[in-house]
Amino acid sequence: MSKPSKGPTEAKLPPTSRSLPIALIRAREKVMGPVREMLAPIGITEQQWRILRVLSEHGRQDATHLGERTGLLLPSLTRIIQSMVENGFVTRTQDTSDRRRQLLAITAAGQQIIDDNLKQAGQIADSYVRHLGREQYEALLDALEQLESL
């Protein structure tokens, strides 16, 4: 009788302390803590903040591009955008060249949220650079970008 070979299901997993998915989740929670604290008094979520940031930086765009840039799935994005439209932070207009497509843009009220929190958000971002050092910070962003391209 031949000895059964080890299949992929028998591969040894790294310890959870060295698991990339778990490490990314732990790091995300650490990084997002100060951002959540900044957003709590404003009454917007981190997802809404990301949407405002992307619309402020990139301008009017369709939901597909906004979803890609914010890391939000279209069903969630649609629900979040609806409340942001109702709150006057985002506008939704029909694309004149393709009536099936809707374009999203930040309003003056949405931009005001960005402007009012720019300094604190910048301080939070700077704290990560100070903690890691510029070189390691940039290397981390480069590595994450490589993972994103998988």
Side-chain angles (χ1 to χ4, degrees), residues 58-120:
H58 296 281
R60 191 171 72 153
Q61 57 198 279
D62 65 21
T64 300
H65 288 105
L66 185 59
E68 289 168 2
R69 289 179 169 142
T70 59
L72 292 167
L73 299 175
L74 283 177
S76 297
L77 181 65
T78 301
R79 180 181 43 78
I80 296 166
I81 287 294
Q82 181 58 41
S83 73
M84 294 181 80
V85 167
E86 291 168 3
N87 290 327
F89 301 140
V90 172
T91 61
R92 183 175 30 212
T93 57
Q94 196 169 50
D95 186 344
T96 55
S97 63
D98 181 353
R99 296 174 85 58
R100 296 168 296 172
R101 194 172 134 195
Q102 294 195 342
L103 298 174
L104 306 162
I106 191 168
T107 64
Q111 186 60 52
Q112 193 62 55
I113 291 172
I114 297 291
D115 295 345
D116 289 348
N117 293 280
L118 199 57
K119 182 178 179 183
Q120 187 175 359

Side-chain angles (χ1 to χ4, degrees), residues 38-39 42 44 46 48-57 84 89 106-122:
M38 176 187 76
L39 298 176
I42 306 165
I44 67 168
E46 64 188 76
Q48 291 171 323
W49 174 253
R50 289 197 319 254
I51 290 167
L52 292 175
R53 292 265 334 266
V54 168
L55 290 174
S56 177
E57 183 177 333
M84 294 181 80
F89 301 140
I106 191 168
T107 64
Q111 186 60 52
Q112 193 62 55
I113 291 172
I114 297 291
D115 295 345
D116 289 348
N117 293 280
L118 199 57
K119 182 178 179 183
Q120 187 175 359

Side-chain angles (χ1 to χ4, degrees), residues 31-43:
V31 166
M32 290 308 299
V35 174
R36 288 185 191 117
E37 287 176 24
M38 176 187 76
L39 298 176
I42 306 165

Side-chain angles (χ1 to χ4, degrees), residues 128-145:
Y128 305 138
V129 176
R130 281 193 310 276
H131 180 75
L132 293 172
R134 173 62 65 188
E135 190 175 311
Q136 194 172 5
Y137 178 82
E138 293 296 333
L140 174 60
L141 290 175
D142 291 343
L144 292 171
E145 196 173 276

